[in-house]
Amino acid sequence: MKNILVVGGAGYIGSHTVKHLGQQGYTCIVADNLVYGHREAVQSPFFELADLQNPASLQAIFSKYRIDAVIHFAAYTYVGESVEDPRKYYHNNLVGTINLLDAMLDHGVKKIVFSSSCATYGNPLYTPMDEAHPQKPINPYGQGKLMVETIFADYARAYGLRYMALRYFNAAGCSHDGDLGESHTPETHLIPLVLQAIRGERECIKIFGTDYDTPDGTCQRDYIHVEDLALAHQLALEKLDSLSGYINLGTGIKTSVKEIISAAERVTGKPCPVQIAPRRPGDPAILFAAQGKAQQLLGWQPRYTHIDDIIRTAWQWECHKKF
Ligand code: UDP
């Protein structure tokens, strides 16, 4: 298994995975519509401008290259927008994935690793959340990811599809050598926003709610380094012959919004201007992963287990962004 089609390989997690797979001797064919992705982020000589909503553009790629397996990152990821414009999300994230599966099956490609999300669980009934936690998404973004997981299970039974849905918690950090990073427009994620506030590029960071039932009143999340995610994709890919299903990817460590801000101040040596704001609708107080299954089945363990180390890589990127 050598030639991997990475759909959405110009995006944040996709580009880090392409870089990692290249270092491991894989050939990545990157397909991206560049709506949110960055051409400069693609560290592979093989790039195809393609859109999941254009089945012909997908079919053409499978005709042009001999693809052994697919990693699928291409998705819109703004949860709030998915509530306001669900049509956009279901067309791209759901119909687009069906189109991709059509092209795969038409060309005899039966292996896929997929970016799923802890958003498929909805509000936590208990934490840490293991893979047996009921899946009751609370927005169209999470709903679409769950529907894709359901389709995979049906296609596995009917067509012999081999799949691994990786349910990420909060992806964070940037390439340790500083040449890839997180560049979203608009940016909504906590760590880049905090660092941009510290750099004076934003007035302040708004803390969305200080009255949660957590030790310091702010939400706790499980931040996982993007290079740890990239490694997990490689391991999942290599296990597809014997494994098919779904796995959480998190560190099992919870960090609050206030702890992120303190860590960022520690790492950068600079103060972060802060404003207390109301809760953001749809934010559960605590989300963190039980990550035993990833360790047991993939032999995967996060290497970044200290939030300062994650933030350090993000800071390096914020100070020397290339795109
Ligand atoms: N958050 C915040 N201010 C911001 C952005 C995020 O307080 O400007 C909080 C948010 O409420 C959540 C955590 O930071 O508890 C992580 O949010 P992010 O959007 O990075 O990821 P999410 O958990 O929504 O996937």
Side-chain angles (χ1 to χ4, degrees):
M1 191 166 59
K2 183 102 197 341
N3 294 344
I4 312 299
L5 175 64
V6 184
V7 187
Y12 170 44
I13 306 170
S15 61
H16 285 82
T17 303
V18 167
K19 175 178 171 160
H20 173 78
L21 289 176
Q23 290 168 341
Q24 302 302 311
Y26 288 91
T27 299
C28 290
I29 297 101
V30 172
D32 202 292
N33 63 6
L34 298 182
V35 170
Y36 289 114
H38 302 272
R39 182 66 184 84
E40 311 91 301
V42 177
Q43 296 193 1
S44 164
F46 304 103
F47 176 77
E48 299 288 336
L49 188 65
D51 194 303
L52 288 178
Q53 295 184 69
N54 175 357
S57 73
L58 298 174
Q59 294 281 352
I61 294 172
F62 285 89
S63 301
K64 182 170 170 184
Y65 300 92
R66 191 183 55 75
I67 306 288
D68 297 308
V70 174
I71 307 185
H72 175 24
F73 294 100
Y76 295 146
T77 59
Y78 295 104
V79 170
E81 186 186 50
S82 81
V83 176
E84 283 150 28
D85 193 3
R87 180 176 169 181
K88 174 173 174 178
Y89 278 70
Y90 286 124
H91 270 283
N92 190 69
N93 297 6
L94 183 62
V95 178
T97 302
I98 294 172
N99 292 338
L100 175 63
L101 288 168
D102 279 342
M104 287 174 61
L105 294 178
D106 288 349
H107 291 81
V109 178
K110 297 210 168 169
K111 292 180 177 173
I112 185 164
V113 176
F114 174 64
S115 304
S116 190
S117 169
C118 65
T120 60
Y121 295 123
N123 284 322
L125 303 176
Y126 58 84
T127 54
M129 298 167 95
D130 58 15
E131 289 82 356
H133 188 286
Q135 288 180 294
K136 291 201 168 63
I138 55 168
N139 50 61
Y141 168 75
Q143 200 69 257
K145 293 281 181 188
L146 176 56
M147 288 176 189
V148 169
E149 287 196 9
T150 308
I151 291 170
F152 284 157
D154 290 339
Y155 280 29
R157 271 187 294 271
Y159 312 123
L161 185 78
R162 309 288 308 176
Y163 72 96
M164 186 54 66
L166 299 175
R167 296 177 185 158
Y168 312 155
F169 282 68
N170 288 55
C174 299
S175 179
H176 69 279
D177 57 12
D179 74 346
L180 282 177
E182 184 168 15
S183 224
H184 297 118
T185 313
E187 187 55 77
T188 60
H189 293 113
L190 180 64
I191 293 175
L193 290 177
V194 166
L195 296 177
Q196 288 164 15
I198 288 177
R199 279 174 59 77
E201 294 166 4
R202 295 178 187 268
E203 217 174 284
C204 64
I205 182 75
K206 289 187 176 154
I207 301 181
F208 295 147
T210 52
D211 58 350
Y212 284 96
D213 187 15
T214 58
D216 66 17
T218 65
C219 290
Q220 295 174 314
R221 293 288 180 273
D222 184 337
Y223 296 90
I224 171 166
H225 195 270
V226 66
E227 290 179 329
D228 282 328
L229 287 178
L231 171 63
H233 286 77
Q234 180 206 344
L235 298 174
L237 201 59
E238 291 170 352
K239 288 267 161 61
L240 281 177
D241 282 325
S242 56
L243 271 185
S244 204
Y246 42 85
I247 293 182
N248 281 344
L249 290 181
T251 61
I253 301 164
K254 49 188 188 227
T255 307
S256 74
V257 174
K258 282 187 177 167
E259 285 169 340
I260 291 286
I261 295 169
S262 303
E265 291 181 329
R266 206 159 47 233
V267 165
T268 64
K270 299 170 197 282
C272 180
V274 160
Q275 188 187 318
I276 307 298
R279 291 182 176 197
R280 187 172 67 177
D283 270 340
I286 304 172
L287 281 178
F288 76 109
Q291 51 97 270
K293 191 174 172 189
Q295 189 174 340
Q296 193 191 332
L297 296 185
L298 299 181
W300 174 87
Q301 266 201 307
R303 290 162 299 183
Y304 288 84
T305 52
H306 200 294
I307 195 64
D308 288 23
D309 296 330
I310 295 178
I311 291 178
R312 199 166 289 115
T313 63
W315 178 241
Q316 179 177 216
W317 174 254
E318 284 301 333
C319 296
H320 308 282
K321 259 189 188 164
K322 303 205 169 111
F323 48 83

